[in-house]
Each structure stands twice: as structure tokens, then as C-alpha cells.
Amino acid sequence: MPHILIVEDETIIRSALRRLLERNQYQVSEAGSVQEAQERFSIPTFDLIVSDLRLPGAPGTELIKLGQGTPVLIMTSYASLRSAVDSMKMGAVDYIAKPFDHDEMLQAVARILRDRQSASSTPAERPTGKVANGAEKAGADNSNGEIGIIGSCPPMQDLYSKIRKVAPTDSNVLIQGESGTGKELVARALHNLSKRAKAPMISVNCAAIPESLIESELFGHEKGAFTGASAGRAGLVEAADGGTLFLDEIGELPLEAQARLLRVLQEGEIRRVGSVQSQKVDVRLIAATHRDLKSLAKIGQFREDLYYRLHVIALKLPALRERGADVNEIANAFLIRQSARVNRTDLKFATDAEQAIRHYSWPGNVRELENAVERAVILSESPEISAELLGIDIELSDLDDDDFIGLTPQQGGGNTSHEPTEDLSLEDYFQHFVLEHQDHMTETELARKLGVSRKCLWERRQRLGIPRRKTGVASES
């Protein structure tokens, strides 16, 4: 079990973080300052140190030296985010902004520990990969294991092939795909398989930083460059020197910042805000967006010259609904992860849940799937997780006619002498099934067998002119 040291002077944050890590099978020790940590523990014996940047006495960065090679994850408030850049240059393995999301922290911890284990393992002992949003893939030994993404559908196999070809180069990469498809995971795979893997990968969400601060955050500033600039600071591009800079949602980057970024790509140099001198940087840029940058360039909302600089290599990440059976594999990985969190080992998806997962369109992609599984695990009172617990309101229109052909008696509601033939359309099948079974099944049972919500069942009845029976078992209060 990995042993983690938390160094944080705020008791509430320290206790909350300890509980979070312990719930996820980590052994945790804690201290309120660097001095206390030195007095109580042998710091190099820990597998990971998670420390606040600003502490009473010595700063958290002091632990980088005291750890003697133990990775240090620095926590910092947004207001002092630029200080985290300095921490990275001093040797911190990564930083995380406070207040942090629990999943974000767990992902960072799992990634750092996995990278540390990989560095000390022989190839035969290397750990398995990671699914989007941090779920571990148990027993992964397939060809995409070193990439760390679950899925084996043809579009993903094509993507893996391109990642392996592109990763060793220094070419700029543009990752395109809908929100929630795992674009940052692809960016991290490119970094981990590159010759820059031991250097930092700095991730920036361009949509999350206020427009008035984005240039200063990316390129740094000199003392007095603007109101409140009491000292000079390095930017995130500078922090990525020698490594990889990942700009997520680059379509949200203001035009002024785009011009500065173009200079980085063309000349390999940056100039801090308020400075008259430039300095060289060696950065590989990976950008991601869910928007059509070429269309934005045509209407003047994105620089055309920057677009062509970014578009050296374009990787298209398919939406979850385009990945076939991958969706069930990913859902099961999330189920394993969430079950471990609540100490449940008996949970599994019911047949209707598996069908709903497979046929739902997942507009929120992997992120929506993870949230649905987490909610279902929390609410589940029985070993089987139903489609209703997942909160999936799947309409019949989401399914193809072929999905209804050859349904088993259990899926179709029982074996009768009037089973529908393959010539029936989707609407014919619906009408036949409802008329055949409504006398001995409730509306809830009918809806569940058809794989739709009760609301959808009612709407279909109205449209097809099939009134609901008012007598017998089908009448429900």
C-alpha cells in the first residue's frame, strides 16, 4: 500500500485530504509544517509527498530536497498559481490548484505513483494503464497498455497507431473531439511516450483563466507590469521548458495571447509581460479543442496562421457513442473503481443497464458515463445496478431496428406464441409488445422490458393511439 505524507497547516484541509486518500486504499501520515515533518518522520521513506506551498516556517518546496528523490506534489491557491511554476522548476513533480476537485487529486496521486513505479520496474513488471478521468484498468495487457486508454474499437486502434508514430517527434499536435472524450489523456500519452517524458508536462485550461490574466499566466510578467505585480514571475510556458505544454480548449484563447503563442512556435522564445527582452524556450505544444478552429479562423475569431502552426498533426478522438462495445468496457472499469470507494465487491450491471449503457448516446461522453456509474453505485441497495439507477432516459429512437431482432424471452418479456417476426418495424414491435403484455405487466415492467422510461412509454402510447388499460394488473397507483 503506497505511503503518502501530507504537509498542510490548515487542519480542515489536511483532515479532508487524509480521509479522501485513506478511502482510496492509501496509507497516510500528516504534518502541519516542514519542521514537524522532519521531527516526526523519515521523509525519504514515503512514496509521495503532498504539500501546501505556503507553510509556517520553511515553504513546501523545501521538501523536494529533504525527500531525496521522493516525488512532491505541490498544492497552491489560484492567486499564487505562478509560484507553482517556480516549484516545478525547483523539482516538484506536479502542482494542483486549491480548492481542488477530489477526482482531480486522486488522478494526480495515481498518475505520480504509477510513473514512479514505472521508472523502477522492468518492462515485464510495468503497471497497467488508466482510463479517462482516472479509473485504473485492471489486468490490462493489450497492445494499448503503454498508452493507458481503455478501448479496442477500430477508431481507437487507429488513434493508438497515430499516437505511437507522433509521440517520439517534437511536432505540434492538435487533438480534436467533443467535451468529455478524454483529450487530456491523449495528450498525456503523447508526453509519456516522448523523449520529454522525464520533463514536466504543464496542463492549462484556457477557458478557466480570466482573459485579463491569461497572458501573464502563460508568459509571465515583470515587476510593475500591471497593478498588483509586486514581483516578477515566470509563466507556465517557461515552466514547461524542456517538456510539454498542453493547452486545453485553445479555441477560447484571446487573440492577443494567440499572437504571443505564435511567436513561441515560430521563434522558440517568449517575452514576459512588461519586458523588452526575450528568452529562448524549448517547448512541445499539444493543443485540444471541441470547436472547429478552421471555421473560427474564417470569421476572425482565431488566428489563421496559428491554426496552421497547430495543425501539423491532427488527432481526432471519437465520441463515446461511436466506440461500440468500448462503452461497456469503460463502464465496468468505472464500476470497479467506484465499488472500491464504497467497499462493495458484489455490484454488477443488470441486463437492462448493460443494454442502456450500450445504446444511450452519451452526449457528455466519458465524463457523463463516470458520473452516472458513480451515482448508481452510491444509490444501489442491491447487488444489481439497474438502468433506472443510472438515470438513463433512453428513447426507442436511440435504437436501431436490428437491436430488437432476436431479443431473448427475458429481454422481450416472456416467451409467447405470438412473438414478433423479423419483418416488424420498430413501431410495429412496440405496438405488438405493449398489446401482448399490458394485461399481465405493469407500466413500469413494460417500460423496463422495452428499455425506455415510463414517460417515453406514455408518449409512445399517445402517438400510436394505444390507450392504457384501466383495469387489471396494469393499473398502478
Side-chain angles (χ1 to χ4, degrees):
M1 179 184 294
H3 194 181
I4 300 174
L5 172 62
I6 301 172
V7 185
E8 166 64 65
D9 59 318
E10 294 188 37
T11 306
I12 295 177
I13 296 177
R14 189 170 69 241
S15 299
L17 182 54
R18 176 173 189 150
R19 289 194 299 271
L20 173 67
L21 294 174
E22 287 179 338
R23 283 200 306 270
N24 286 270
Q25 288 73 54
Y26 295 114
Q27 182 183 352
V28 180
S29 298
E30 59 183 79
S33 67
V34 173
Q35 182 179 355
E36 182 185 348
Q38 281 184 283
E39 293 173 352
R40 295 181 56 192
F41 309 110
S42 174
I43 295 177
T45 63
F46 289 93
D47 296 296
L48 171 64
I49 301 168
V50 182
S51 175
D52 192 12
L53 179 60
R54 297 183 178 180
L55 295 166
T61 49
E62 188 70 16
L63 292 161
I64 298 171
K65 179 177 65 178
L66 297 173
Q68 300 178 20
T70 300
V72 178
L73 173 62
I74 291 292
M75 299 184 291
T76 178
S77 64
Y78 178 78
S80 59
L81 183 59
R82 287 183 294 272
S83 299
V85 174
D86 299 327
S87 303
M88 295 285 288
K89 298 182 76 172
M90 294 172 65
V93 68
D94 207 344
Y95 69 89
I96 190 168
K98 295 194 298 186
F100 50 79
D101 178 78
H102 283 191
D103 279 347
E104 183 184 7
M105 173 61 77
L106 291 173
Q107 289 169 34
V109 168
R111 183 183 69 248
I112 294 168
L113 290 172
R114 188 182 65 252
D115 290 347
R116 187 178 193 231
Q117 183 179 352
S118 297
S120 59
S121 299
T122 62
E125 297 171 331
R126 288 190 183 275
T128 57
K130 172 178 94 163
V131 69
N133 296 320
E136 296 295 330
K137 182 174 181 181
D141 59 356
N142 55 19
S143 59
N144 61 306
E146 79 279 15
I147 291 177
I149 304 175
I150 286 182
S152 55
C153 66
M156 293 303 292
Q157 291 293 348
D158 182 57
L159 178 66
Y160 302 149
S161 176
K162 290 178 179 177
I163 288 175
R164 293 187 186 97
K165 292 177 182 177
V166 173
T169 74
D170 277 335
S171 298
N172 301 327
V173 180
L174 179 63
I175 305 171
Q176 299 169 305
E178 296 178 8
S179 295
T181 49
K183 295 188 288 294
E184 184 169 357
L185 204 65
V186 173
R188 191 161 294 281
L190 289 167
H191 173 73
N192 290 340
L193 294 176
S194 74
K195 60 186 178 183
R196 301 171 179 264
K198 294 184 179 180
M201 171 178 163
I202 303 296
S203 300
V204 185
N205 188 328
C206 299
I209 303 177
E211 186 171 338
S212 58
L213 295 177
I214 188 70
E215 288 190 65
S216 174
E217 292 290 343
L218 286 176
F219 308 105
H221 67 262
E222 296 295 339
K223 180 179 179 180
F226 51 84
T227 303
S230 57
R233 295 286 186 183
L236 296 172
V237 176
E238 192 173 339
D241 191 17
T244 303
L245 177 66
F246 173 56
L247 296 182
D248 197 7
E249 299 301 346
I250 195 170
E252 310 301 324
L253 198 65
L255 290 171
E256 295 80 1
Q258 291 179 30
R260 285 180 176 270
L261 181 62
L262 184 63
R263 184 173 181 83
V264 174
L265 300 181
Q266 288 179 332
E267 309 296 336
E269 61 183 29
I270 60 169
R271 189 170 64 222
R272 294 184 181 182
V273 176
S275 175
V276 295
Q277 295 182 335
S278 299
Q279 62 184 92
K280 290 289 184 179
V281 289
D282 174 23
V283 172
R284 185 197 192 171
L285 181 65
I286 300 176
T289 182
H290 71 282
R291 306 181 68 181
D292 185 347
L293 296 187
K294 191 171 185 179
S295 297
L296 292 178
K298 289 180 179 179
I299 60 176
Q301 293 185 10
F302 197 86
R303 291 184 64 109
E304 191 171 22
D305 46 4
L306 177 58
Y307 167 72
Y308 288 114
R309 280 283 179 178
L310 294 174
H311 205 264
V312 177
I313 303 289
L315 299 180
K316 175 68 174 177
L317 195 54
L320 192 56
R321 61 182 173 275
E322 300 169 354
R323 293 178 57 180
D326 283 2
V327 63
N328 292 95
E329 187 179 358
I330 296 171
N332 281 307
F334 284 141
L335 179 60
I336 293 172
R337 174 187 172 189
Q338 297 299 337
S339 296
R341 282 188 174 186
V342 297
N343 296 319
R344 296 280 300 271
T345 59
D346 59 336
L347 294 177
K348 64 178 183 177
F349 292 118
T351 302
D352 66 332
E354 291 180 344
Q355 292 175 344
I357 289 170
R358 174 68 178 83
H359 296 297
Y360 180 55
S361 61
W362 297 110
N365 292 294
V366 178
R367 190 177 296 123
E368 182 185 4
L369 173 59
E370 182 180 25
N371 291 339
V373 173
E374 180 179 2
R375 178 175 59 249
V377 168
I378 292 171
L379 297 177
S380 178
E381 296 179 354
S382 66
E384 284 203 343
I385 293 176
S386 66
E388 184 178 2
L389 274 180
L390 289 169
I392 299 175
D393 189 13
I394 184 168
E395 300 285 344
L396 285 179
S397 57
D398 292 331
L399 307 178
D400 298 326
D401 286 350
D402 290 343
D403 295 319
F404 280 97
I405 296 173
L407 288 176
T408 66
Q410 182 182 7
Q411 294 166 322
N415 190 14
T416 74
S417 60
H418 305 289
E419 288 298 325
T421 68
E422 294 188 6
D423 294 332
L424 290 179
S425 70
L426 201 56
E427 301 291 357
D428 291 337
Y429 179 85
F430 179 91
Q431 185 167 348
H432 176 97
F433 186 88
V434 171
L435 292 174
E436 186 73 24
H437 299 291
Q438 64 179 354
D439 288 338
H440 59 271
M441 292 174 64
T442 66
E443 291 295 286
T444 299
E445 289 171 336
L446 280 172
R448 184 170 63 250
K449 294 297 183 182
L450 286 166
V452 301
S453 65
R454 284 189 52 169
K455 178 176 179 289
C456 175
L457 174 59
W458 180 83
E459 290 174 345
R460 292 277 173 147
R461 278 185 178 276
Q462 301 306 305
R463 185 160 61 81
L464 297 176
I466 311 173
R468 178 180 168 185
R469 293 290 175 87
K470 299 298 183 182
T471 59
V473 77
S475 62
E476 296 177 292
S477 56

